[in-house]
Amino acid sequence: MNTAVSPMIKIEKTNNSKINEVDFDNLPFGQHLSDHMFVCDYKNGKWQQPHIVPYQNISLDPSSKIFHYGQSVFEGMKAYKDARGQVLLFRPLDNQNRLNISAKRLAIPELPEEYFMEGLKALLKLDSDWIPTSDGSSLYIRPFIFATGNGFHASPADTYKFIIACSPSGAYFSGKLKVLIEEKYSRSANGGVGFAKAGGNYAGQFYPTQLAVEKGYQQVIWTDDNTHEYIEEAGAMNIFMRINDTLITGPTSDRILDGITRKSVITIAKDEGIKVEVRKIKVKEVIEASNNGSLKEMFGSGTAAVISPITGFGYRDNDFELPEIENSYAALIKKRITDIQYNRAEDKFGWRYIVE
Ligand code: PLP
Ligand code: COI
């Protein structure tokens, strides 16, 4: 990875801001795009001069490899504004690092450090008015790299584009979150790309998720592809189970995304004195715990989803309800994380990043 480069970013500002078209009191997730985007092209074996330009369409040759072979990786992060208007990120270097882990697996050239953080900071400075301040909302940030190289040969492209686009967003889920434990389809397999944030991972989930939605669920809970006996993760979240007073989540692997929220949950739960077990968890154990009343909570964790309590789950032809409990671990941990993100509490783990 080339870390010696300190790119000068060329900035072209919009003279046609769309900010007044957005109702910041009713923000959907990921629908509105801010005024600018950061763009950097890879060609001739290196990343080129980065630009910030007005948010706009891009034009690609129909034979671009992204369309045919799905060479694309992305990240998801958020910018927050505190009560004084200071702009904050949460563990952004972990996103930068993970983008390169994903890129490597998809044979995409890694991105020098400066391009990611310098580009992101410059973009946030320009579009800081787009960071919402209402409770639970933030500026969702989508850095992504995709193959632009032309031709139908099934081989890695020789040109790529890195873009960072931003969307002022509210909650990812609204209402109850019921999930279906999936036994037929798989999201990932050993040796595959499940640990990477590869675009195709999500495309492969849409059809099984549609089937689950038709049955009245919002998300699929993926089980291991080999035996379907173990709980792995949800569509866009890692997953936690509370059995009695122990919080359990599966270990990361080739098949599971190493979620930044997941590791923050583990650290905070331990800090709260909660017993945490990172171990394989059988569907059978969760069903038994639900039947005997020891399954107290289930929740998903992710940048978009934050901490999303699961209200019930389906398994084969049976539905299981989760009890509504007071003082849930989900609520406690969500408060601890969001208080750090919005600069309302001490940042004892050094996760907050101030954008200056
Ligand atoms: N698992 C998957 C498949 C995801 O898409 C996400 C979202 O980014 C997560 C887990 C949670 O990861 P993070 O907490 O880093 O956002
Ligand atoms: C995120 O949580 O940032 C994600 O990438 C989830 C996304 C698929 C909406």
Side-chain angles (χ1 to χ4, degrees):
M1 194 166 79
N2 181 0
T3 52
V5 189
S6 182
M8 288 278 296
I9 304 167
K10 271 201 179 161
I11 299 181
E12 182 197 336
K13 287 189 190 169
T14 183
N15 45 26
N16 182 24
S17 174
K18 304 266 190 305
I19 199 160
N20 291 330
E21 294 171 18
V22 176
D23 177 2
F24 276 76
D25 294 327
N26 288 295
L27 284 171
F29 178 85
Q31 284 301 121
H32 303 293
L33 276 304
S34 74
D35 280 335
H36 298 92
M37 63 186 193
F38 175 87
V39 186
C40 187
D41 287 308
Y42 179 91
K43 63 177 180 193
N44 301 328
K46 59 178 201 285
W47 289 98
Q48 307 288 317
Q49 160 91 66
H51 295 254
I52 290 178
V53 292
Y55 187 82
Q56 59 191 267
N57 286 349
I58 49 177
S59 165
L60 291 176
D61 186 293
S63 76
S64 295
K65 300 215 185 210
I66 174 61
F67 297 136
H68 308 276
Y69 306 121
Q71 244 192 317
S72 94
V73 293
F74 71 95
E75 266 306 318
M77 47 205 303
K78 284 175 172 172
Y80 312 85
K81 228 175 218 180
D82 70 9
R84 289 187 297 130
Q86 190 167 233
V87 178
L88 309 146
L89 294 165
F90 184 72
R91 310 185 77 172
L93 301 179
D94 291 6
N95 293 96
Q96 176 198 284
N97 187 35
R98 193 172 61 188
L99 184 68
N100 278 337
I101 290 173
S102 301
K104 188 169 180 193
R105 178 62 182 83
L106 275 284
I108 292 173
E110 291 175 47
L111 198 73
E113 230 167 79
E114 287 83 355
Y115 285 71
F116 189 94
M117 282 313 294
E118 294 309 312
L120 181 54
K121 284 193 285 186
L123 183 61
L124 289 176
K125 252 181 228 164
L126 212 54
D127 280 355
S128 73
D129 288 348
W130 285 84
I131 304 173
T133 49
S134 58
D135 199 33
S137 57
S138 56
L139 188 72
Y140 185 74
I141 302 165
R142 175 53 62 85
F144 57 110
I145 313 177
F146 58 95
T148 53
N150 301 340
F152 296 136
H153 197 279
S155 50
D158 55 1
T159 59
Y160 296 85
K161 212 178 252 306
F162 172 56
I163 296 181
I164 308 178
C166 300
S167 170
S169 293
Y172 191 73
F173 292 113
S174 55
K176 293 198 163 183
L177 179 55
K178 273 180 67 188
V179 297
L180 180 65
I181 298 179
E182 177 62 57
E183 286 191 290
K184 177 176 177 192
Y185 298 100
S186 299
R187 174 189 173 275
S188 57
N190 283 335
V193 296
F195 68 93
K197 266 181 97 75
N201 281 342
Y202 298 80
Q205 298 187 76
F206 291 162
Y207 176 63
T209 306
Q210 269 174 356
L211 298 179
V213 168
E214 279 165 19
K215 293 183 187 158
Y217 304 95
Q218 283 76 45
Q219 284 272 308
V220 165
I221 296 294
W222 300 104
T223 51
D224 68 290
D225 63 299
N226 187 20
T227 65
H228 294 292
E229 281 181 27
Y230 295 93
I231 304 257
E232 301 233 295
E233 68 179 324
M237 303 183 289
N238 295 109
I239 184 158
F240 287 82
M241 267 74 48
R242 170 181 173 187
I243 296 182
N244 291 316
D245 287 339
T246 302
L247 200 55
I248 309 166
T249 193
T252 54
S253 68
D254 269 8
R255 304 182 304 270
I256 300 184
L257 190 81
D258 186 4
I260 295 161
T261 321
R262 172 188 174 278
K263 54 186 187 187
S264 309
V265 169
I266 294 170
T267 304
I268 284 178
K270 287 183 178 163
D271 191 57
E272 287 289 338
I274 295 168
K275 186 172 172 215
V276 181
E277 289 178 3
V278 177
R279 64 164 169 87
K280 290 168 81 174
I281 178 157
K282 277 196 163 169
V283 177
K284 206 167 134 212
E285 184 181 348
V286 176
I287 305 286
E288 276 169 16
S290 179
N291 286 336
N292 69 26
S294 59
L295 180 68
K296 307 287 187 210
E297 294 180 57
M298 244 168 127
F299 60 85
S301 72
T303 299
V306 196
I307 304 292
S308 291
I310 290 166
T311 54
F313 66 93
Y315 179 61
R316 299 189 175 162
D317 289 326
N318 297 312
D319 268 321
F320 300 81
E321 295 264 309
L322 270 293
E324 262 186 45
I325 57 167
E326 282 184 12
N327 304 321
S328 68
Y329 287 175
L332 171 73
I333 294 167
K334 180 175 178 180
K335 183 170 183 326
R336 286 271 322 257
I337 291 185
T338 52
D339 279 352
I340 293 172
Q341 291 170 333
Y342 289 90
N343 202 7
R344 295 187 293 242
E346 183 206 349
D347 176 25
K348 71 191 262 192
F349 306 109
W351 290 338
R352 215 158 34 214
Y353 183 103
I354 298 170
V355 180
E356 286 164 320

